[in-house]
Amino acid sequence: EAGVAQSPRYKIIEKRQSVAFWCNPISGHATLYWYQQILGQGPKLLIQFQNNGVVDDSQLPKDRFSAERLKGVDSTLKIQPAKLEDSAVYLCASSQRGPADTQYFGPGTRLTVL
Amino acid sequence: AQSVTQLDSQVPVFEEAPVELRCNYSSSVSVYLFWYVQYPNQGLQLLLKYLSGSTLVKGINGFEAEFNKSQTSFHLRKPSVHISDTAEYFCAVINDYKLSFGAGTTVTVRA
């Protein structure tokens, strides 16, 4: 069974530029998550989709971050414009049903904002 | 308010010695508790979880954790570690239908 795929693995941009990350979850998983992991901290949930609807986006900085999940499968996370404090690893995960199910994580995208 | 607190940021340990990683959770949250591990250059993976039932939970790679409601703790243990257990370990809890992670404990196993 293929795992959660993410791309790119690394991205370096300058502040005020825009960037997009892509995630392909495990086939058949209804719930998809985007987390932000700042160095030295645990992952923080940014947004949670169930199928193609948003369940929770309370911690998503909506003035600059946006996310969508097309047809309940792939998802993209966008930052526009980026700030220095957005430097982090962005993790995508999926689970069969809700967050109490085992979440399977992708390798992450390491973003550096200069 | 912090939902889960990991009491040790770094734990150095010798190979074949026991290890315990401490985790306390807020009593206001649900008692769905997890330990995830992140090996170097790999994604997070589930070690074990407690949803209900027996308070002693066994996970992968010889790890186990005990849910203690009176002390609001969910400490992770392994009786004998290997070099390959070097990793970052995260305690997590379901809070408001989302997974909330602690800050992590870095375990470094030395020969």
Side-chain angles (χ1 to χ4, degrees):
Chain A
E1 178 181 77
V4 176
Q6 289 188 249
S7 67
R9 292 293 311 275
Y10 305 91
K11 190 75 177 178
I12 300 174
I13 62 172
E14 295 191 349
K15 60 183 179 183
R16 292 187 289 273
Q17 286 187 323
S18 62
V19 64
F21 312 127
W22 172 83
C23 173
N24 182 239
I26 291 173
S27 177
H29 280 193
T31 308
L32 184 148
Y33 315 81
W34 283 103
Y35 291 90
Q36 179 193 59
Q37 186 176 16
I38 292 172
L39 189 64
Q41 299 180 20
K44 181 184 83 171
L45 181 72
L46 292 176
I47 189 165
Q48 178 176 320
F49 294 94
Q50 187 138 13
N51 299 310
N52 57 353
V54 175
V55 174
D56 190 305
D57 63 358
S58 58
Q59 299 185 102
L60 187 75
K62 297 180 189 62
D63 57 333
R64 298 183 300 106
F65 286 64
S66 64
E68 59 181 1
R69 188 180 185 194
L70 299 174
K71 300 179 182 178
V73 182
D74 291 10
S75 178
T76 56
L77 176 70
K78 296 178 183 176
I79 308 176
Q80 182 179 11
K83 293 185 174 181
L84 297 177
E85 58 262 34
D86 298 332
S87 293
V89 176
Y90 290 85
L91 300 167
C92 180
S94 68
S95 66
Q96 281 194 319
R97 294 180 296 270
D101 285 345
T102 299
Q103 294 189 26
Y104 295 86
F105 285 79
T109 297
R110 183 176 297 277
L111 173 67
T112 302
V113 183
L114 303 175
Chain B
Q2 183 72 22
S3 300
V4 63
T5 302
Q6 292 184 245
L7 299 166
D8 308 291
S9 60
Q10 297 200 40
V11 174
V13 58
F14 285 106
E15 194 174 19
E16 297 182 9
V19 71
E20 178 180 82
L21 308 185
R22 296 179 294 166
C23 173
N24 285 95
Y25 64 92
S26 166
S27 59
S28 63
V29 303
S30 68
V31 285
Y32 296 153
L33 297 157
F34 306 78
W35 277 98
Y36 278 82
V37 61
Q38 189 169 33
Y39 297 106
N41 301 314
Q42 293 187 30
L44 281 148
Q45 59 180 279
L46 181 70
L47 267 181
L48 49 79
K49 62 181 175 183
Y50 172 81
L51 301 181
S52 65
S54 173
T55 57
L56 184 63
V57 182
K58 294 191 183 298
I60 62 171
N61 300 338
F63 283 92
E64 63 181 32
E66 186 157 19
F67 167 60
N68 188 320
K69 188 174 181 180
S70 63
Q71 296 187 9
T72 62
S73 68
F74 191 56
H75 300 335
L76 181 71
R77 301 183 184 95
K78 185 169 182 176
S80 175
V81 296
H82 302 126
I83 298 288
S84 58
D85 292 321
T86 293
E88 182 127 24
Y89 293 79
F90 294 94
C91 185
V93 64
I94 296 291
N95 184 21
D96 287 338
Y97 200 64
K98 54 180 175 271
L99 198 59
S100 179
F101 287 87
T105 298
T106 302
V107 173
T108 305
V109 181
R110 294 179 282 193

